[in-house]
Amino acid sequence: MNTQLETKSQTNKAIKSVSKRNKTIKNILTYAAFVGPALLFFIVIQIIPFFMGVYYSFTSWNGVSSTAEWVGLANYIKIFKNDPGFVNSFLFTTKFMFAAVIISNFIGFGLALLLNAALKSRNLLRTVFFIPNVIGGLLLGFIWQFIFVKGFASIGKMTDLAFFKLPWLGDENTAFWGIVIVFAWQISGYMMVIYIAALQGVDQNLLEAAKIDGASNWTLLTKIIIPLILPAFTICIFLTISMAFKIFDINISLTNGGPFNSTQSVAINIYQEAFQYNRYGLGTAKSILFFIVVAIFTTVQVLATKKREVEA
């Protein structure tokens, strides 16, 4: 009798073990079916080219020949010692990043506050403000190039206003702000959508209670709303920093880095180095340095804003 019970118990354990193993295999296959293709494309499109770029940054490859001569740290030494163009483009891109991040998020958050109110036309306005983000950067740049060169000049003749008579794309300072204006015009609608989603998650009962206690609109905004939606600020600032650093299409279509390379972004500098001057090894070395700097900026920003979230 005891032997039969032991046999039956062992059989049940074996069945459970097989069932558990089958379930585990099924879960693995399910995850592989859904995650596998995306992971494969990510590895092929992102990871492998990244490590290939790291390798080529230590070579003198011209991007065409079948052989790549190993030169070690020569490309990096050349960048730091004898490449003022890259340094200037980096300074321009960093300055542009700070201006673009502040303006884009200020406009995006302002639009979100406005369109989160009970307006009858808010859905239409949300669509209108988001449309620029759908337009491709090159097309957007050429549209605004026409506006700056032809449109503003015509308005300046009719109104005699000095603002419209400025050489918007022909002077270093005005060209810089011209690029900032176009970038903010394109990106602000995208930031607006994120901020609206965050604002809609704020508990209205909390706001009503604060109003009853006598809180002003400014107090509601600074003491309740902004602290509650800090995660949205973290996301939006991260996105705008990365987008501003990587600006290429708007920059190249508006000014092509001019006048006299004064508005040349790092992305344009790397593109010219690798594909116009056929110094692919030097171009990839610049891109690796660029990647490191952008990673440092975004990591510091995320850590700083996340810390504020915890404190709030």
PDB file of all heavy atoms in Angstrom, residues 163-179:
ATOM      1  N   PHE A 163      12.523  94.479 -37.369  1.00  0.00           N
ATOM      2  CA  PHE A 163      12.581  93.043 -37.067  1.00  0.00           C
ATOM      3  C   PHE A 163      12.551  92.210 -38.344  1.00  0.00           C
ATOM      4  O   PHE A 163      13.270  91.209 -38.471  1.00  0.00           O
ATOM      5  CB  PHE A 163      11.400  92.668 -36.164  1.00  0.00           C
ATOM      6  CG  PHE A 163      11.312  91.192 -35.867  1.00  0.00           C
ATOM      7  CD1 PHE A 163      12.073  90.625 -34.862  1.00  0.00           C
ATOM      8  CD2 PHE A 163      10.465  90.375 -36.604  1.00  0.00           C
ATOM      9  CE1 PHE A 163      11.990  89.260 -34.588  1.00  0.00           C
ATOM     10  CE2 PHE A 163      10.368  89.019 -36.338  1.00  0.00           C
ATOM     11  CZ  PHE A 163      11.135  88.459 -35.334  1.00  0.00           C
ATOM     12  N   PHE A 164      11.719  92.611 -39.306  1.00  0.00           N
ATOM     13  CA  PHE A 164      11.569  91.841 -40.541  1.00  0.00           C
ATOM     14  C   PHE A 164      12.636  92.181 -41.575  1.00  0.00           C
ATOM     15  O   PHE A 164      12.741  91.518 -42.608  1.00  0.00           O
ATOM     16  CB  PHE A 164      10.185  92.086 -41.144  1.00  0.00           C
ATOM     17  CG  PHE A 164       9.065  91.577 -40.278  1.00  0.00           C
ATOM     18  CD1 PHE A 164       8.294  92.455 -39.539  1.00  0.00           C
ATOM     19  CD2 PHE A 164       8.797  90.221 -40.193  1.00  0.00           C
ATOM     20  CE1 PHE A 164       7.264  91.988 -38.734  1.00  0.00           C
ATOM     21  CE2 PHE A 164       7.770  89.743 -39.398  1.00  0.00           C
ATOM     22  CZ  PHE A 164       7.000  90.629 -38.658  1.00  0.00           C
ATOM     23  N   LYS A 165      13.427  93.213 -41.304  1.00  0.00           N
ATOM     24  CA  LYS A 165      14.488  93.589 -42.241  1.00  0.00           C
ATOM     25  C   LYS A 165      15.843  92.988 -41.880  1.00  0.00           C
ATOM     26  O   LYS A 165      16.826  93.201 -42.586  1.00  0.00           O
ATOM     27  CB  LYS A 165      14.614  95.117 -42.282  1.00  0.00           C
ATOM     28  CG  LYS A 165      13.417  95.810 -42.909  1.00  0.00           C
ATOM     29  CD  LYS A 165      13.648  97.308 -42.995  1.00  0.00           C
ATOM     30  CE  LYS A 165      12.506  98.007 -43.695  1.00  0.00           C
ATOM     31  NZ  LYS A 165      12.747  99.471 -43.805  1.00  0.00           N
ATOM     32  N   LEU A 166      15.885  92.243 -40.781  1.00  0.00           N
ATOM     33  CA  LEU A 166      17.147  91.632 -40.357  1.00  0.00           C
ATOM     34  C   LEU A 166      17.595  90.567 -41.348  1.00  0.00           C
ATOM     35  O   LEU A 166      16.761  89.869 -41.952  1.00  0.00           O
ATOM     36  CB  LEU A 166      16.983  90.999 -38.965  1.00  0.00           C
ATOM     37  CG  LEU A 166      16.706  91.950 -37.801  1.00  0.00           C
ATOM     38  CD1 LEU A 166      16.399  91.157 -36.537  1.00  0.00           C
ATOM     39  CD2 LEU A 166      17.899  92.867 -37.572  1.00  0.00           C
ATOM     40  N   PRO A 167      18.917  90.407 -41.534  1.00  0.00           N
ATOM     41  CA  PRO A 167      19.427  89.327 -42.419  1.00  0.00           C
ATOM     42  C   PRO A 167      19.360  87.979 -41.701  1.00  0.00           C
ATOM     43  O   PRO A 167      20.365  87.468 -41.216  1.00  0.00           O
ATOM     44  CB  PRO A 167      20.861  89.765 -42.687  1.00  0.00           C
ATOM     45  CG  PRO A 167      21.255  90.521 -41.459  1.00  0.00           C
ATOM     46  CD  PRO A 167      20.016  91.229 -40.987  1.00  0.00           C
ATOM     47  N   TRP A 168      18.166  87.409 -41.607  1.00  0.00           N
ATOM     48  CA  TRP A 168      17.924  86.285 -40.709  1.00  0.00           C
ATOM     49  C   TRP A 168      18.846  85.101 -40.937  1.00  0.00           C
ATOM     50  O   TRP A 168      19.252  84.435 -40.009  1.00  0.00           O
ATOM     51  CB  TRP A 168      16.457  85.856 -40.814  1.00  0.00           C
ATOM     52  CG  TRP A 168      15.587  86.691 -39.947  1.00  0.00           C
ATOM     53  CD1 TRP A 168      14.843  87.777 -40.317  1.00  0.00           C
ATOM     54  CD2 TRP A 168      15.407  86.566 -38.533  1.00  0.00           C
ATOM     55  NE1 TRP A 168      14.207  88.324 -39.232  1.00  0.00           N
ATOM     56  CE2 TRP A 168      14.520  87.595 -38.126  1.00  0.00           C
ATOM     57  CE3 TRP A 168      15.892  85.673 -37.580  1.00  0.00           C
ATOM     58  CZ2 TRP A 168      14.135  87.750 -36.804  1.00  0.00           C
ATOM     59  CZ3 TRP A 168      15.499  85.827 -36.268  1.00  0.00           C
ATOM     60  CH2 TRP A 168      14.627  86.855 -35.882  1.00  0.00           C
ATOM     61  N   LEU A 169      19.177  84.791 -42.174  1.00  0.00           N
ATOM     62  CA  LEU A 169      20.053  83.653 -42.446  1.00  0.00           C
ATOM     63  C   LEU A 169      21.420  84.085 -42.950  1.00  0.00           C
ATOM     64  O   LEU A 169      22.251  83.235 -43.280  1.00  0.00           O
ATOM     65  CB  LEU A 169      19.396  82.706 -43.472  1.00  0.00           C
ATOM     66  CG  LEU A 169      18.034  82.141 -43.069  1.00  0.00           C
ATOM     67  CD1 LEU A 169      17.511  81.202 -44.164  1.00  0.00           C
ATOM     68  CD2 LEU A 169      18.110  81.400 -41.740  1.00  0.00           C
ATOM     69  N   GLY A 170      21.658  85.378 -42.979  1.00  0.00           N
ATOM     70  CA  GLY A 170      22.916  85.880 -43.511  1.00  0.00           C
ATOM     71  C   GLY A 170      23.875  86.397 -42.461  1.00  0.00           C
ATOM     72  O   GLY A 170      25.002  86.786 -42.775  1.00  0.00           O
ATOM     73  N   ASP A 171      23.447  86.417 -41.203  1.00  0.00           N
ATOM     74  CA  ASP A 171      24.283  86.909 -40.114  1.00  0.00           C
ATOM     75  C   ASP A 171      24.387  85.826 -39.050  1.00  0.00           C
ATOM     76  O   ASP A 171      23.437  85.070 -38.819  1.00  0.00           O
ATOM     77  CB  ASP A 171      23.679  88.181 -39.514  1.00  0.00           C
ATOM     78  CG  ASP A 171      24.510  88.721 -38.362  1.00  0.00           C
ATOM     79  OD1 ASP A 171      25.573  89.297 -38.620  1.00  0.00           O
ATOM     80  OD2 ASP A 171      24.078  88.530 -37.201  1.00  0.00           O
ATOM     81  N   GLU A 172      25.527  85.754 -38.382  1.00  0.00           N
ATOM     82  CA  GLU A 172      25.771  84.689 -37.404  1.00  0.00           C
ATOM     83  C   GLU A 172      24.734  84.669 -36.290  1.00  0.00           C
ATOM     84  O   GLU A 172      24.162  83.623 -35.970  1.00  0.00           O
ATOM     85  CB  GLU A 172      27.171  84.847 -36.808  1.00  0.00           C
ATOM     86  CG  GLU A 172      27.505  83.819 -35.744  1.00  0.00           C
ATOM     87  CD  GLU A 172      28.902  84.019 -35.166  1.00  0.00           C
ATOM     88  OE1 GLU A 172      29.665  84.825 -35.730  1.00  0.00           O
ATOM     89  OE2 GLU A 172      29.218  83.350 -34.155  1.00  0.00           O
ATOM     90  N   ASN A 173      24.442  85.818 -35.702  1.00  0.00           N
ATOM     91  CA  ASN A 173      23.530  85.863 -34.562  1.00  0.00           C
ATOM     92  C   ASN A 173      22.089  85.592 -34.968  1.00  0.00           C
ATOM     93  O   ASN A 173      21.378  84.807 -34.320  1.00  0.00           O
ATOM     94  CB  ASN A 173      23.631  87.225 -33.868  1.00  0.00           C
ATOM     95  CG  ASN A 173      24.980  87.440 -33.213  1.00  0.00           C
ATOM     96  OD1 ASN A 173      25.578  86.497 -32.674  1.00  0.00           O
ATOM     97  ND2 ASN A 173      25.488  88.664 -33.264  1.00  0.00           N
ATOM     98  N   THR A 174      21.630  86.253 -36.021  1.00  0.00           N
ATOM     99  CA  THR A 174      20.247  86.049 -36.445  1.00  0.00           C
ATOM    100  C   THR A 174      20.038  84.646 -37.017  1.00  0.00           C
ATOM    101  O   THR A 174      18.953  84.072 -36.846  1.00  0.00           O
ATOM    102  CB  THR A 174      19.843  87.103 -37.489  1.00  0.00           C
ATOM    103  OG1 THR A 174      20.813  87.108 -38.553  1.00  0.00           O
ATOM    104  CG2 THR A 174      19.772  88.484 -36.863  1.00  0.00           C
ATOM    105  N   ALA A 175      21.045  84.094 -37.670  1.00  0.00           N
ATOM    106  CA  ALA A 175      20.926  82.725 -38.187  1.00  0.00           C
ATOM    107  C   ALA A 175      20.784  81.729 -37.038  1.00  0.00           C
ATOM    108  O   ALA A 175      20.005  80.764 -37.122  1.00  0.00           O
ATOM    109  CB  ALA A 175      22.142  82.382 -39.046  1.00  0.00           C
ATOM    110  N   PHE A 176      21.523  81.965 -35.962  1.00  0.00           N
ATOM    111  CA  PHE A 176      21.408  81.101 -34.780  1.00  0.00           C
ATOM    112  C   PHE A 176      19.980  81.107 -34.252  1.00  0.00           C
ATOM    113  O   PHE A 176      19.377  80.049 -34.018  1.00  0.00           O
ATOM    114  CB  PHE A 176      22.378  81.575 -33.699  1.00  0.00           C
ATOM    115  CG  PHE A 176      22.169  80.922 -32.358  1.00  0.00           C
ATOM    116  CD1 PHE A 176      22.688  79.669 -32.095  1.00  0.00           C
ATOM    117  CD2 PHE A 176      21.438  81.568 -31.359  1.00  0.00           C
ATOM    118  CE1 PHE A 176      22.492  79.054 -30.857  1.00  0.00           C
ATOM    119  CE2 PHE A 176      21.243  80.972 -30.126  1.00  0.00           C
ATOM    120  CZ  PHE A 176      21.763  79.708 -29.872  1.00  0.00           C
ATOM    121  N   TRP A 177      19.420  82.308 -34.073  1.00  0.00           N
ATOM    122  CA  TRP A 177      18.059  82.394 -33.538  1.00  0.00           C
ATOM    123  C   TRP A 177      17.025  81.923 -34.548  1.00  0.00           C
ATOM    124  O   TRP A 177      15.953  81.436 -34.166  1.00  0.00           O
ATOM    125  CB  TRP A 177      17.766  83.817 -33.083  1.00  0.00           C
ATOM    126  CG  TRP A 177      18.506  84.156 -31.825  1.00  0.00           C
ATOM    127  CD1 TRP A 177      19.548  85.014 -31.689  1.00  0.00           C
ATOM    128  CD2 TRP A 177      18.275  83.600 -30.529  1.00  0.00           C
ATOM    129  NE1 TRP A 177      19.998  85.039 -30.388  1.00  0.00           N
ATOM    130  CE2 TRP A 177      19.226  84.185 -29.649  1.00  0.00           C
ATOM    131  CE3 TRP A 177      17.370  82.670 -30.014  1.00  0.00           C
ATOM    132  CZ2 TRP A 177      19.291  83.857 -28.297  1.00  0.00           C
ATOM    133  CZ3 TRP A 177      17.428  82.350 -28.666  1.00  0.00           C
ATOM    134  CH2 TRP A 177      18.359  82.934 -27.822  1.00  0.00           C
ATOM    135  N   GLY A 178      17.342  82.039 -35.824  1.00  0.00           N
ATOM    136  CA  GLY A 178      16.438  81.495 -36.836  1.00  0.00           C
ATOM    137  C   GLY A 178      16.306  79.989 -36.717  1.00  0.00           C
ATOM    138  O   GLY A 178      15.197  79.428 -36.792  1.00  0.00           O
ATOM    139  N   ILE A 179      17.423  79.305 -36.503  1.00  0.00           N
ATOM    140  CA  ILE A 179      17.398  77.851 -36.330  1.00  0.00           C
ATOM    141  C   ILE A 179      16.660  77.480 -35.044  1.00  0.00           C
ATOM    142  O   ILE A 179      15.886  76.511 -35.011  1.00  0.00           O
ATOM    143  CB  ILE A 179      18.835  77.284 -36.323  1.00  0.00           C
ATOM    144  CG1 ILE A 179      19.530  77.566 -37.649  1.00  0.00           C
ATOM    145  CG2 ILE A 179      18.822  75.780 -36.063  1.00  0.00           C
ATOM    146  CD1 ILE A 179      21.006  77.231 -37.657  1.00  0.00           C
TER     147      ILE A 179
END
